[in-house]
Amino acid sequence: MFRKDPLQIIVFQTYGTANHLYLRGRAIEDETINLEQKGAFKLLFNAWKRFETDEIKHAKLRVKIGDDRFYYVTTDNRGYFLLDERVNDLNKYANVEGWVKFEFSYEEEQLTRTIQAENRFPGEMLIPCANAKFGVITDIDDTILHTGLTSILKWRVLINTLLTSAGKRLPLEDAPELYHLLHQGKTRHEANPIFYVSHSPWNLYRYLEYFLKKNNFPKGPIILRNFPKPFSKKSKNEKPQKQKEIIGILKTYPKLKFILIGDSGEHDPYIYKEVAEAFPDRILAIYLRHVNHSKKMIKVAELYKNYNTTEVLLVESTQQAISHARNHGFI
């Protein structure tokens, strides 16, 4: 009989308000994935383990905030959970930058299994602090991390994601500097929130979290997407999940303005344009990183040819974005 792997809870970094608790994550078996792994075969095996997860279905989890505040949530058929509740006064648990710490654990019915970390899994939720002057919503793929989304047949995406460890991936030049400057703002003490919103699936959460931390990007909520259910059909007029998540952030913080950062290779130009048109007074600027694909660049230039709602900057280097941000008083 095969030995069952121990249980764990992966808690995603999320965002909320003083009166809105919004926590996400997943309960799965521990596959012991080494994010610094070397060797093509071992990397491929790690990639397979990321997507062939053994989820813990319908598990009751407990959330502890502070010493005596508790909430409960149950995982779904794929082991995911979403705790979305109206609460009171979460601000008192936040640190100077607005991060609220909490702890997840399995309830009694799961305790017959071995559970990692003594059944104590930490997580954090961001409540932007009062000093914040604006927020940043940024893509990850080909915006701060080269993935090759515009390559023929997406072959570079496969090589970079499957055959390169998170520890070996490099950020685009000067990207960490830009995000720290925006996070600090003009006064260097603003703690402007950074939201990392990607079309990548939640299976890559730890991979991307590790990359961001290792390369010294500012800490921020990481928002990915669920794989669509088999045979499910998307409505013709349905907006991309990434666009829905961005709108969700804007609605959560109605008094906060935002800078949108992405690349010109895939859907960002179209999503950001629609968002800026829907919230014309909320978007300070749009930065789109130039990709090495002439046809896509021509389309993007045409898309924004007569666009005046929000200032749009097509950048070939991060220093161009830094210069623009400094000239406009963002940093």
Side-chain angles (χ1 to χ4, degrees):
M1 185 175 179
F2 291 107
R3 180 180 63 85
K4 291 185 177 181
D5 291 325
L7 305 185
Q8 63 176 335
I9 302 173
I10 300 174
V11 187
F12 305 147
Q13 286 178 178
T14 57
Y15 63 92
T17 70
N19 302 310
H20 187 183
L21 184 63
Y22 187 75
L23 307 177
R24 300 166 90 163
R26 198 178 192 193
I28 61 174
E29 292 184 1
D30 184 7
E31 301 290 351
T32 61
I33 295 174
N34 179 3
L35 292 168
E36 289 279 9
Q37 189 69 65
K38 299 178 181 179
F41 177 79
K42 291 181 179 178
L43 286 167
L44 275 173
F45 186 59
N46 275 350
W48 175 77
K49 287 195 290 186
R50 279 192 211 105
F51 290 92
E52 199 288 310
T53 51
D54 292 316
E55 62 274 1
I56 311 303
K57 304 176 182 179
H58 312 302
K60 188 175 181 181
L61 309 178
R62 185 183 74 171
V63 185
K64 180 182 178 183
I65 301 176
D67 294 326
D68 56 1
R69 199 162 175 177
F70 300 95
Y71 298 90
Y72 298 87
V73 66
T74 301
T75 62
D76 64 15
N77 284 331
R78 295 191 286 179
Y80 289 104
F81 61 81
L82 171 60
L83 180 56
D84 187 352
E85 287 192 21
R86 293 293 168 182
V87 297
N88 295 315
D89 194 23
L90 286 178
N91 269 338
K92 65 182 182 181
Y93 300 101
N95 66 14
V96 292
E97 291 211 343
W99 287 99
V100 178
K101 294 182 181 293
F102 49 89
E103 182 180 277
F104 271 87
S105 60
Y106 285 96
E107 279 292 270
E108 293 298 325
E109 60 265 25
Q110 299 292 339
L111 296 183
T112 56
R113 296 277 302 273
T114 301
I115 302 176
Q116 296 286 54
E118 299 180 341
N119 198 23
R120 301 173 65 183
F121 299 91
E124 292 179 287
M125 185 189 83
L126 178 65
I127 303 174
C129 68
N131 292 335
K133 297 296 187 292
F134 58 84
V136 176
I137 298 174
T138 177
D139 182 37
I140 297 176
D141 302 327
D142 282 327
T143 299
I144 59 178
L145 169 65
H146 179 66
T147 58
L149 282 170
T150 61
S151 65
I152 298 173
L153 300 178
K154 311 293 185 187
W155 64 274
R156 285 192 182 276
V157 177
L158 295 175
I159 291 175
N160 288 330
T161 303
L162 302 182
L163 296 178
T164 309
S165 71
K168 293 294 184 181
R169 301 291 293 275
L170 297 176
L172 295 178
E173 188 175 6
D174 299 327
E177 178 189 2
L178 169 64
Y179 287 87
H180 274 288
L181 288 171
L182 290 171
H183 175 63
Q184 295 165 1
K186 190 172 183 178
T187 67
R188 296 295 182 99
H189 301 289
E190 291 173 15
N192 298 316
I194 311 290
F195 300 85
Y196 300 95
V197 184
S198 173
H199 194 62
S200 295
W202 285 111
N203 303 68
L204 292 177
Y205 176 83
R206 283 185 295 179
Y207 185 94
L208 295 174
E209 180 190 39
Y210 183 83
F211 166 81
L212 292 169
K213 187 179 296 184
K214 183 176 177 62
N215 289 285
N216 194 34
F217 282 89
K219 183 168 67 174
I222 301 172
I223 303 126
L224 308 180
R225 70 178 179 98
N226 292 332
F227 272 128
K229 294 179 181 179
F231 310 112
S232 62
K233 290 185 178 180
K234 187 177 180 180
S235 170
K236 185 178 180 180
N237 297 320
E238 186 177 352
K239 299 301 182 184
Q241 181 64 30
K242 182 174 180 178
Q243 187 166 342
K244 294 177 185 177
E245 296 287 359
I246 292 172
I247 291 172
I249 295 169
L250 287 165
K251 288 183 175 179
T252 300
Y253 308 112
K255 295 182 180 179
L256 201 60
K257 295 188 177 183
F258 285 87
I259 294 172
L260 306 180
I261 306 178
D263 67 86
S264 55
E266 288 289 310
H267 306 294
D268 289 348
Y270 304 93
I271 290 174
Y272 290 0
K273 184 171 182 285
E274 281 197 28
V275 169
E277 288 173 340
F279 299 87
D281 300 323
R282 302 282 307 284
I283 307 304
L284 295 171
I286 297 173
Y287 296 153
L288 293 171
R289 184 179 288 275
H290 183 285
V291 296
N292 188 23
H293 194 293
S294 58
K295 288 185 178 180
K296 289 184 181 293
M297 290 306 302
I298 291 171
K299 286 184 178 180
V300 172
E302 187 65 27
L303 177 69
Y304 286 100
K305 186 176 181 181
N306 298 311
Y307 182 74
N308 298 310
T309 303
T310 300
E311 187 162 359
V312 180
L313 187 68
L314 300 179
V315 300
E316 293 188 11
S317 72
T318 304
Q319 287 301 323
Q320 286 180 292
I322 291 175
S323 178
H324 180 277
R326 185 169 284 120
N327 291 337
H328 285 73
F330 303 148
I331 60 176

